[in-house]
Amino acid sequence: MKVAGVFLAAISAGMAFSSPGSTCLEQPENFTAYVVNTNITLKWDWNNPCGLNVTFSVQFGKSVGELESWSIISECQNVKIMECDVSAAISNFYEYYNVSVRAYAGDNYSPWASLEFNPDQEAKVGPPGVHLESIHGGDWKIIISNPDLEFWSPAKLDYKLTIWKNSSYPEKKTLDVFSGQAIPDLEPEKTYCLTVKGREENSIPSPEICIKTLKAWSGLPRPENLHIYALNMKYILYWNNTYDGNVSFTVQLLLGYHTKMSPDISKNWLSVAGCENIQTMHCDFSSAVAFHGIYYFRVQAVHNNNKSPWSKMLKFEPKDDNVLGAPSVTVNASEDSLNIDIAFPGESEKNDMNKVYGLTYRVHYWMESSSYSKKIKEGTTSISISGLVADTSYCLKVQAYSLEYQKSSKFSNVTCTKTIKGKPSHFKNGVAFLIALAVCVVTACLIVATYKFSQQLKHVFFPSCHLPKFLQIATFSGFLCMPLLFSPHTPSKQSKNLQRLPGKQAL
């Protein structure tokens, strides 16, 4: 018992005693509060060295500001035993209370012994009620009745069963158990003893119950070795084929929340659609469950009118038990890169694993001739690896990974692809020359076009000056401006010839 705090107090009235015999009235010891479910009992010890006929009285109080407000507990006044039930006086299970007790002998009394406690912190889960029922196939079903827990959440009411053979050297086995569950693995004609307690550490176990099991079952045997294949959100339940003849099977499931809430889970099983009266040793229940949930499965065999006992329950939690399959990979190569297309796990089965898990992809790639690999991580299904060497074989493998659920798939099969062979150097030089020539031609064309365009602009905005018409005619006939073409000090040959002409022609 964890006690919030213990303190000793002497009330002023208790400091003095009315007679010498009061020296035998010692203070109560080991004052403790026991809280089981919602029942609160105060207990204490008292040493009676003088053999006095004593009674005890209890008071309790709560702090109000700097003062302590005390009240008596009527059921706990002048009691002769060293305990008192104060459940009726405690109105709030979550508050702290101060309680005090002292001994009386006539008009004399001991000092107070005091205690502070919080019922919620001190409470223990009391022992559950337990009884067993014999069911079909020689099994035993355990029924557990919850204690009266006004302040406890039903989520705390998970139970553990401890069971052992009644022998000189019993080997105890502890397992989780639900009310209405068949107790597994009991041998015929043996005596077993058991107790049940809550999973909480502060739970109190039930009293021992012992039973003797029935004779061995001689009818149709129960299905054995249930296991689930869960890959890419496709779920298939399998069991062993131990039967001869025309045997059919029925599969049932139990929703996980019933194990915490139902007083008898044997009444909450549901048949799985498509898995009733089947003759295969497997059942596809993918459409019967949600990704976030807990489920239990069991199977029964039927032959004519004979039914086997139900198999042991098998727990299944999709988000934890589902396995990510390897992704599929398609690779296309160029001269210096690999383009990778990834089909996420389950895509071919139309199970949208990518939306549920939020997958990323790890790509490991390496030269086929080398053992050194490089790694990249992407969140898309289209990935390009560049900067590779032409005409070289590269290998790669891809793994899907969910950060949220901390799950990794297996790697895809190794895929090897050769990058495209590069073009010859003389071809590259020719291509470069043609490109340069094309650039020069385009540049020249641009220059010419620019010049022509500038001339047109000049003609429009800055037109040239022209001589008058009669001057243009004279000029073209050779009679005007000719002397202006030569220096006045150096007569041209033509002027000399003119001087030699006869007078009329010269004029």
Side-chain angles (χ1 to χ4, degrees), residues 306-325:
N306 299 320
K307 294 183 179 181
S308 74
W310 285 100
S311 69
K312 290 191 290 186
M313 295 192 319
L314 177 65
K315 182 181 178 181
F316 178 64
E317 192 167 0
K319 73 179 181 65
D320 290 338
D321 298 333
N322 182 58
V323 175
L324 296 179

Side-chain angles (χ1 to χ4, degrees), residues 129-143:
V130 178
H131 74 273
L132 301 174
E133 297 178 6
S134 176
I135 57 176
H136 175 73
D139 290 336
W140 288 84
K141 180 175 73 172
I142 185 168
I143 299 295

Side-chain angles (χ1 to χ4, degrees), residues 18 78 137 157 190 284 334 343 349 366 372 451 481:
S18 59
N78 300 317
L157 302 182
K190 299 290 182 181
D284 187 337
S334 64
E349 294 89 1
W366 62 93
Y372 174 74
Y451 175 76
C481 298

Side-chain angles (χ1 to χ4, degrees), residues 422-438:
K423 301 296 183 181
S425 59
H426 65 272
F427 177 80
K428 293 181 179 179
N429 293 336
V431 171
F433 173 77
L434 291 176
I435 291 173
L437 180 61

Side-chain angles (χ1 to χ4, degrees), residues 184-252:
D185 302 323
L186 296 182
E187 297 179 13
E189 300 185 88
K190 299 290 182 181
T191 299
Y192 287 89
C193 295
L194 57 88
T195 63
V196 176
K197 67 183 290 290
R199 293 189 197 176
E200 296 290 322
E201 291 185 2
N202 57 352
S203 299
I204 302 173
S206 67
E208 289 185 9
I209 298 177
C210 295
I211 58 167
K212 185 173 182 179
T213 56
L214 304 177
K215 293 182 178 180
W217 173 252
S218 58
L220 200 63
R222 77 176 79 239
E224 298 284 354
N225 192 27
L226 271 64
H227 57 283
I228 293 173
Y229 172 87
L231 178 66
N232 296 337
M233 296 171 66
K234 186 177 181 65
Y235 313 127
I236 302 176
L237 174 67
Y238 290 90
W239 55 92
N240 283 0
N241 182 7
T242 58
Y243 304 94
D244 296 327
N246 188 21
V247 177
S248 60
F249 303 92
T250 294
V251 178
Q252 290 187 338

Side-chain angles (χ1 to χ4, degrees), residues 5 20 42 88 116 131 156 167 179 242 293 301 307-308 368 371 387 443 471 473 480 491:
L42 302 177
E116 182 184 58
H131 74 273
K156 294 185 177 181
S167 62
S179 182
T242 58
K307 294 183 179 181
S308 74
E368 189 174 16
S371 59
T443 302
L471 291 177
I473 296 173
L480 183 64

Side-chain angles (χ1 to χ4, degrees), residues 286-435:
S286 305
S287 60
V289 299
F291 184 72
H292 295 281
I294 299 175
Y295 304 88
Y296 294 84
F297 289 88
R298 67 179 185 178
V299 182
Q300 185 180 57
V302 180
H303 178 63
N304 295 329
N305 293 324
N306 299 320
K307 294 183 179 181
S308 74
W310 285 100
S311 69
K312 290 191 290 186
M313 295 192 319
L314 177 65
K315 182 181 178 181
F316 178 64
E317 192 167 0
K319 73 179 181 65
D320 290 338
D321 298 333
N322 182 58
V323 175
L324 296 179
S328 301
V329 177
T330 302
V331 182
N332 293 311
S334 64
E335 184 176 338
D336 63 348
S337 64
L338 297 177
N339 298 312
I340 307 166
D341 289 322
I342 302 171
F344 54 78
E347 186 174 12
S348 58
E349 294 89 1
K350 298 183 179 179
N351 294 329
D352 202 347
M353 302 277 288
N354 201 36
K355 286 184 179 179
V356 174
Y357 283 98
L359 297 174
T360 56
Y361 300 93
R362 296 166 174 159
V363 180
H364 294 216
Y365 68 98
W366 62 93
M367 284 187 181
E368 189 174 16
S369 59
S370 171
S371 59
Y372 174 74
S373 65
K374 295 182 179 180
K375 305 173 186 178
I376 60 173
K377 184 172 72 173
E378 295 288 345
T380 63
T381 55
S382 295
I383 301 173
S384 180
I385 302 174
S386 58
L388 305 181
V389 181
D391 195 25
T392 303
S393 291
Y394 287 88
C395 297
L396 60 85
K397 58 183 180 179
V398 179
Q399 180 186 47
Y401 176 76
S402 171
L403 181 62
E404 179 179 357
Y405 295 99
Q406 294 294 301
K407 278 182 175 288
S408 297
S409 74
K410 294 182 178 180
F411 277 99
S412 64
N413 293 330
V414 174
T415 301
C416 294
T417 304
K418 194 173 187 179
T419 52
I420 297 174
K421 188 175 182 180
K423 301 296 183 181
S425 59
H426 65 272
F427 177 80
K428 293 181 179 179
N429 293 336
V431 171
F433 173 77
L434 291 176
I435 291 173

